[in-house]
Amino acid sequence: MPPVLTPAQLAAQAFEQLRLPLPVPRHSPNVRLPDGRDATIVGENTWIWTDHSVWTPAARRVQVGPVWAEVTATPIGLSFTSGTGGSLSCSGPGTPYDRSAGLHAASPDCGFVYTRSSYGQPQDEATATWAIRWSVRWVGSDGAGEVGGDFPAMLSQASATFAVAEVQALRMNADIAQISGSGRE
């Protein structure tokens, strides 16, 4: 007769088998440089988020006869490491940028401002990391009653590589243009 497994043993198996979705790195601004590389801008409010389709609990159930256990991982936060020396933690998946917020608006919940370019790094690009933090709990039964507990928190992470560019702009005051003539000289 095979040994009878406990719900805790089945929960440990389910925990080992659990596969978490990876974050889908997103940021704005996300501009295209003349050489075709993606970039964000030094000094600009950069919105950070992951695709919301991955921000959902993940579960794995294992059952042997009447004994079962189910492990559920629930996303609890998003962390971002900039690739240039800064990082941040957000309590949710971040908010996708929407033009209605305005061109230079800060993210309402997960924003970062790059303070230096990626010049001098490999390929003059930064490799940033998005990581979802997961709270992990389990429940199970031996047929007589339910039991449960917690597992250590888990992380799933993904990276994106892009340039962090410095942009210079010349802004002309209309009054100066009138003084100097047509403004086309």
Side-chain angles (χ1 to χ4, degrees):
M1 181 171 182
V4 176
L5 296 174
T6 67
Q9 290 169 320
L10 293 180
Q13 287 181 17
F15 180 77
E16 290 300 318
Q17 296 171 7
L18 184 64
R19 298 294 172 255
L20 300 176
L22 298 176
V24 179
R26 299 283 190 252
H27 66 91
S28 182
N30 187 14
V31 299
R32 177 110 23 218
L33 297 178
D35 64 8
R37 293 181 298 155
D38 288 335
T40 193
I41 309 297
V42 171
E44 188 64 56
N45 290 307
T46 301
W47 292 43
I48 304 298
W49 73 95
T50 183
D51 190 288
H52 287 202
S53 67
V54 299
W55 197 266
T56 185
R60 178 75 173 146
R61 181 182 174 106
V62 175
Q63 184 166 352
V64 177
V67 182
W68 62 272
E70 182 170 286
V71 174
T72 302
T74 304
I76 58 171
L78 178 70
S79 60
F80 172 77
T81 305
S82 71
T84 62
S87 63
L88 68 100
S89 293
C90 308
S91 60
T95 300
Y97 176 73
D98 183 326
R99 289 178 186 227
S100 67
L103 186 58
H104 304 287
S107 169
D109 57 2
C110 198
F112 186 80
V113 176
Y114 280 90
T115 58
R116 64 176 186 256
S117 78
S118 56
Y119 180 77
Q121 295 192 33
Q123 287 79 45
D124 293 330
E125 294 179 317
T127 299
T129 303
W130 283 248
I132 300 174
R133 293 181 311 281
W134 303 82
S135 169
V136 186
R137 299 193 46 81
W138 71 274
V139 294
S141 174
D142 58 7
E146 284 201 6
V147 292
D150 295 322
F151 279 106
M154 297 175 77
L155 284 177
S156 62
Q157 63 184 31
S159 298
T161 301
F162 49 87
V164 180
E166 291 184 351
V167 176
Q168 295 181 0
L170 178 61
R171 186 172 179 172
M172 251 178 98
N173 184 321
D175 293 335
I176 294 172
Q178 288 175 350
I179 292 171
S180 65
S182 68
R184 296 184 195 156
E185 300 172 2

mmCIF file of all heavy atoms in Angstrom, residues 31-55:
data_model
loop_
_atom_site.group_PDB
_atom_site.id
_atom_site.type_symbol
_atom_site.label_atom_id
_atom_site.label_comp_id
_atom_site.label_asym_id
_atom_site.label_seq_id
_atom_site.Cartn_x
_atom_site.Cartn_y
_atom_site.Cartn_z
ATOM 1 N N VAL A 31 10.315 56.285 -27.442
ATOM 2 C CA VAL A 31 10.546 56.921 -28.742
ATOM 3 C C VAL A 31 11.514 56.087 -29.570
ATOM 4 O O VAL A 31 12.247 55.252 -29.036
ATOM 5 C CB VAL A 31 11.076 58.366 -28.568
ATOM 6 C CG1 VAL A 31 10.084 59.228 -27.825
ATOM 7 C CG2 VAL A 31 12.416 58.371 -27.845
ATOM 8 N N ARG A 32 11.524 56.307 -30.847
ATOM 9 C CA ARG A 32 12.437 55.608 -31.752
ATOM 10 C C ARG A 32 13.531 56.583 -32.163
ATOM 11 O O ARG A 32 13.251 57.674 -32.669
ATOM 12 C CB ARG A 32 11.677 55.097 -32.962
ATOM 13 C CG ARG A 32 12.535 54.427 -33.962
ATOM 14 C CD ARG A 32 12.440 52.952 -34.149
ATOM 15 N NE ARG A 32 11.220 52.300 -33.753
ATOM 16 C CZ ARG A 32 11.215 51.110 -33.174
ATOM 17 N NH1 ARG A 32 12.320 50.485 -32.917
ATOM 18 N NH2 ARG A 32 10.097 50.535 -32.859
ATOM 19 N N LEU A 33 14.789 56.200 -31.927
ATOM 20 C CA LEU A 33 15.929 57.019 -32.322
ATOM 21 C C LEU A 33 16.175 56.872 -33.827
ATOM 22 O O LEU A 33 15.729 55.897 -34.442
ATOM 23 C CB LEU A 33 17.170 56.599 -31.540
ATOM 24 C CG LEU A 33 17.100 56.796 -30.019
ATOM 25 C CD1 LEU A 33 18.369 56.284 -29.363
ATOM 26 C CD2 LEU A 33 16.866 58.248 -29.671
ATOM 27 N N PRO A 34 16.918 57.804 -34.435
ATOM 28 C CA PRO A 34 17.212 57.699 -35.876
ATOM 29 C C PRO A 34 17.861 56.377 -36.275
ATOM 30 O O PRO A 34 17.666 55.901 -37.391
ATOM 31 C CB PRO A 34 18.152 58.878 -36.138
ATOM 32 C CG PRO A 34 17.790 59.875 -35.086
ATOM 33 C CD PRO A 34 17.423 59.059 -33.872
ATOM 34 N N ASP A 35 18.612 55.749 -35.345
ATOM 35 C CA ASP A 35 19.256 54.469 -35.676
ATOM 36 C C ASP A 35 18.326 53.268 -35.463
ATOM 37 O O ASP A 35 18.728 52.122 -35.601
ATOM 38 C CB ASP A 35 20.557 54.288 -34.896
ATOM 39 C CG ASP A 35 20.357 54.200 -33.389
ATOM 40 O OD1 ASP A 35 19.198 54.131 -32.918
ATOM 41 O OD2 ASP A 35 21.366 54.192 -32.661
ATOM 42 N N GLY A 36 17.056 53.528 -35.099
ATOM 43 C CA GLY A 36 16.069 52.469 -34.944
ATOM 44 C C GLY A 36 15.902 51.930 -33.542
ATOM 45 O O GLY A 36 15.001 51.129 -33.280
ATOM 46 N N ARG A 37 16.751 52.359 -32.601
ATOM 47 C CA ARG A 37 16.635 51.857 -31.225
ATOM 48 C C ARG A 37 15.479 52.522 -30.491
ATOM 49 O O ARG A 37 15.158 53.680 -30.733
ATOM 50 C CB ARG A 37 17.926 52.112 -30.444
ATOM 51 C CG ARG A 37 19.105 51.311 -30.935
ATOM 52 C CD ARG A 37 20.346 51.577 -30.110
ATOM 53 N NE ARG A 37 20.719 52.985 -30.227
ATOM 54 C CZ ARG A 37 21.414 53.661 -29.321
ATOM 55 N NH1 ARG A 37 21.826 53.066 -28.219
ATOM 56 N NH2 ARG A 37 21.719 54.921 -29.505
ATOM 57 N N ASP A 38 14.873 51.767 -29.567
ATOM 58 C CA ASP A 38 13.879 52.336 -28.663
ATOM 59 C C ASP A 38 14.599 53.145 -27.602
ATOM 60 O O ASP A 38 15.732 52.821 -27.225
ATOM 61 C CB ASP A 38 13.068 51.232 -27.971
ATOM 62 C CG ASP A 38 12.100 50.540 -28.915
ATOM 63 O OD1 ASP A 38 11.694 51.165 -29.910
ATOM 64 O OD2 ASP A 38 11.755 49.378 -28.647
ATOM 65 N N ALA A 39 13.926 54.185 -27.097
ATOM 66 C CA ALA A 39 14.554 55.030 -26.073
ATOM 67 C C ALA A 39 13.501 55.683 -25.203
ATOM 68 O O ALA A 39 12.336 55.814 -25.580
ATOM 69 C CB ALA A 39 15.412 56.108 -26.733
ATOM 70 N N THR A 40 13.947 56.090 -24.032
ATOM 71 C CA THR A 40 13.184 57.009 -23.198
ATOM 72 C C THR A 40 14.082 58.225 -22.998
ATOM 73 O O THR A 40 15.209 58.259 -23.485
ATOM 74 C CB THR A 40 12.730 56.356 -21.877
ATOM 75 O OG1 THR A 40 11.748 57.192 -21.260
ATOM 76 C CG2 THR A 40 13.881 56.101 -20.919
ATOM 77 N N ILE A 41 13.607 59.231 -22.262
ATOM 78 C CA ILE A 41 14.266 60.531 -22.237
ATOM 79 C C ILE A 41 14.705 60.913 -20.817
ATOM 80 O O ILE A 41 13.923 60.806 -19.870
ATOM 81 C CB ILE A 41 13.301 61.627 -22.770
ATOM 82 C CG1 ILE A 41 12.700 61.225 -24.122
ATOM 83 C CG2 ILE A 41 13.978 62.977 -22.822
ATOM 84 C CD1 ILE A 41 13.701 61.062 -25.230
ATOM 85 N N VAL A 42 15.935 61.392 -20.698
ATOM 86 C CA VAL A 42 16.451 61.897 -19.428
ATOM 87 C C VAL A 42 15.584 63.073 -18.969
ATOM 88 O O VAL A 42 15.217 63.950 -19.759
ATOM 89 C CB VAL A 42 17.917 62.367 -19.583
ATOM 90 C CG1 VAL A 42 18.397 63.105 -18.333
ATOM 91 C CG2 VAL A 42 18.828 61.195 -19.883
ATOM 92 N N GLY A 43 15.247 63.094 -17.689
ATOM 93 C CA GLY A 43 14.515 64.206 -17.092
ATOM 94 C C GLY A 43 13.016 64.193 -17.344
ATOM 95 O O GLY A 43 12.296 65.034 -16.816
ATOM 96 N N GLU A 44 12.537 63.256 -18.122
ATOM 97 C CA GLU A 44 11.109 63.171 -18.445
ATOM 98 C C GLU A 44 10.436 62.179 -17.499
ATOM 99 O O GLU A 44 11.048 61.208 -17.061
ATOM 100 C CB GLU A 44 10.937 62.709 -19.897
ATOM 101 C CG GLU A 44 9.526 62.764 -20.418
ATOM 102 C CD GLU A 44 8.972 64.173 -20.466
ATOM 103 O OE1 GLU A 44 9.578 65.051 -21.102
ATOM 104 O OE2 GLU A 44 7.917 64.407 -19.849
ATOM 105 N N ASN A 45 9.175 62.417 -17.172
ATOM 106 C CA ASN A 45 8.413 61.444 -16.383
ATOM 107 C C ASN A 45 8.217 60.189 -17.229
ATOM 108 O O ASN A 45 7.584 60.239 -18.281
ATOM 109 C CB ASN A 45 7.049 62.014 -15.981
ATOM 110 C CG ASN A 45 7.173 63.110 -14.961
ATOM 111 O OD1 ASN A 45 7.797 62.917 -13.922
ATOM 112 N ND2 ASN A 45 6.614 64.264 -15.242
ATOM 113 N N THR A 46 8.774 59.085 -16.782
ATOM 114 C CA THR A 46 8.643 57.825 -17.498
ATOM 115 C C THR A 46 7.622 56.958 -16.770
ATOM 116 O O THR A 46 7.804 56.643 -15.593
ATOM 117 C CB THR A 46 10.002 57.089 -17.589
ATOM 118 O OG1 THR A 46 10.931 57.945 -18.273
ATOM 119 C CG2 THR A 46 9.886 55.772 -18.335
ATOM 120 N N TRP A 47 6.557 56.627 -17.449
ATOM 121 C CA TRP A 47 5.515 55.760 -16.893
ATOM 122 C C TRP A 47 5.984 54.311 -17.018
ATOM 123 O O TRP A 47 6.445 53.884 -18.079
ATOM 124 C CB TRP A 47 4.217 55.942 -17.650
ATOM 125 C CG TRP A 47 3.562 57.293 -17.477
ATOM 126 C CD1 TRP A 47 4.168 58.515 -17.488
ATOM 127 C CD2 TRP A 47 2.184 57.539 -17.295
ATOM 128 N NE1 TRP A 47 3.242 59.511 -17.317
ATOM 129 C CE2 TRP A 47 1.997 58.931 -17.201
ATOM 130 C CE3 TRP A 47 1.062 56.721 -17.207
ATOM 131 C CZ2 TRP A 47 0.764 59.524 -17.015
ATOM 132 C CZ3 TRP A 47 -0.177 57.314 -17.025
ATOM 133 C CH2 TRP A 47 -0.325 58.699 -16.921
ATOM 134 N N ILE A 48 5.848 53.558 -15.936
ATOM 135 C CA ILE A 48 6.282 52.167 -15.879
ATOM 136 C C ILE A 48 5.052 51.307 -15.594
ATOM 137 O O ILE A 48 4.284 51.598 -14.678
ATOM 138 C CB ILE A 48 7.315 51.971 -14.735
ATOM 139 C CG1 ILE A 48 8.509 52.921 -14.896
ATOM 140 C CG2 ILE A 48 7.734 50.512 -14.624
ATOM 141 C CD1 ILE A 48 9.320 52.720 -16.152
ATOM 142 N N TRP A 49 4.879 50.245 -16.383
ATOM 143 C CA TRP A 49 3.784 49.315 -16.115
ATOM 144 C C TRP A 49 4.074 47.969 -16.760
ATOM 145 O O TRP A 49 4.992 47.831 -17.546
ATOM 146 C CB TRP A 49 2.437 49.872 -16.583
ATOM 147 C CG TRP A 49 2.191 49.913 -18.067
ATOM 148 C CD1 TRP A 49 1.540 48.962 -18.819
ATOM 149 C CD2 TRP A 49 2.550 50.943 -18.984
ATOM 150 N NE1 TRP A 49 1.492 49.352 -20.138
ATOM 151 C CE2 TRP A 49 2.103 50.568 -20.268
ATOM 152 C CE3 TRP A 49 3.226 52.164 -18.857
ATOM 153 C CZ2 TRP A 49 2.300 51.350 -21.398
ATOM 154 C CZ3 TRP A 49 3.432 52.944 -19.984
ATOM 155 C CH2 TRP A 49 2.960 52.544 -21.234
ATOM 156 N N THR A 50 3.282 46.969 -16.371
ATOM 157 C CA THR A 50 3.291 45.680 -17.041
ATOM 158 C C THR A 50 1.925 45.495 -17.667
ATOM 159 O O THR A 50 0.929 46.083 -17.208
ATOM 160 C CB THR A 50 3.605 44.512 -16.088
ATOM 161 O OG1 THR A 50 3.670 43.295 -16.851
ATOM 162 C CG2 THR A 50 2.555 44.347 -15.009
ATOM 163 N N ASP A 51 1.878 44.701 -18.695
ATOM 164 C CA ASP A 51 0.604 44.380 -19.322
ATOM 165 C C ASP A 51 -0.331 43.825 -18.250
ATOM 166 O O ASP A 51 0.053 42.926 -17.487
ATOM 167 C CB ASP A 51 0.837 43.363 -20.440
ATOM 168 C CG ASP A 51 -0.387 43.169 -21.280
ATOM 169 O OD1 ASP A 51 -1.353 42.545 -20.784
ATOM 170 O OD2 ASP A 51 -0.393 43.636 -22.427
ATOM 171 N N HIS A 52 -1.539 44.346 -18.166
ATOM 172 C CA HIS A 52 -2.455 43.951 -17.097
ATOM 173 C C HIS A 52 -2.953 42.513 -17.230
ATOM 174 O O HIS A 52 -3.467 41.942 -16.259
ATOM 175 C CB HIS A 52 -3.613 44.937 -17.011
ATOM 176 C CG HIS A 52 -3.207 46.256 -16.430
ATOM 177 N ND1 HIS A 52 -4.089 47.131 -15.855
ATOM 178 C CD2 HIS A 52 -2.000 46.855 -16.304
ATOM 179 C CE1 HIS A 52 -3.452 48.206 -15.420
ATOM 180 N NE2 HIS A 52 -2.178 48.058 -15.698
ATOM 181 N N SER A 53 -2.784 41.901 -18.397
ATOM 182 C CA SER A 53 -3.236 40.512 -18.575
ATOM 183 C C SER A 53 -2.442 39.532 -17.713
ATOM 184 O O SER A 53 -2.918 38.435 -17.439
ATOM 185 C CB SER A 53 -3.143 40.100 -20.045
ATOM 186 O OG SER A 53 -1.782 40.030 -20.460
ATOM 187 N N VAL A 54 -1.241 39.900 -17.279
ATOM 188 C CA VAL A 54 -0.445 39.005 -16.432
ATOM 189 C C VAL A 54 -0.676 39.277 -14.943
ATOM 190 O O VAL A 54 -0.150 38.549 -14.099
ATOM 191 C CB VAL A 54 1.065 39.098 -16.756
ATOM 192 C CG1 VAL A 54 1.318 38.698 -18.204
ATOM 193 C CG2 VAL A 54 1.637 40.461 -16.457
ATOM 194 N N TRP A 55 -1.443 40.313 -14.637
ATOM 195 C CA TRP A 55 -1.691 40.699 -13.244
ATOM 196 C C TRP A 55 -2.932 39.969 -12.733
ATOM 197 O O TRP A 55 -3.977 40.558 -12.489
ATOM 198 C CB TRP A 55 -1.863 42.213 -13.137
ATOM 199 C CG TRP A 55 -1.724 42.713 -11.743
ATOM 200 C CD1 TRP A 55 -2.722 42.933 -10.839
ATOM 201 C CD2 TRP A 55 -0.512 43.049 -11.082
ATOM 202 N NE1 TRP A 55 -2.214 43.371 -9.657
ATOM 203 C CE2 TRP A 55 -0.848 43.462 -9.781
ATOM 204 C CE3 TRP A 55 0.826 43.038 -11.465
ATOM 205 C CZ2 TRP A 55 0.105 43.869 -8.862
ATOM 206 C CZ3 TRP A 55 1.770 43.439 -10.552
ATOM 207 C CH2 TRP A 55 1.407 43.860 -9.264
#
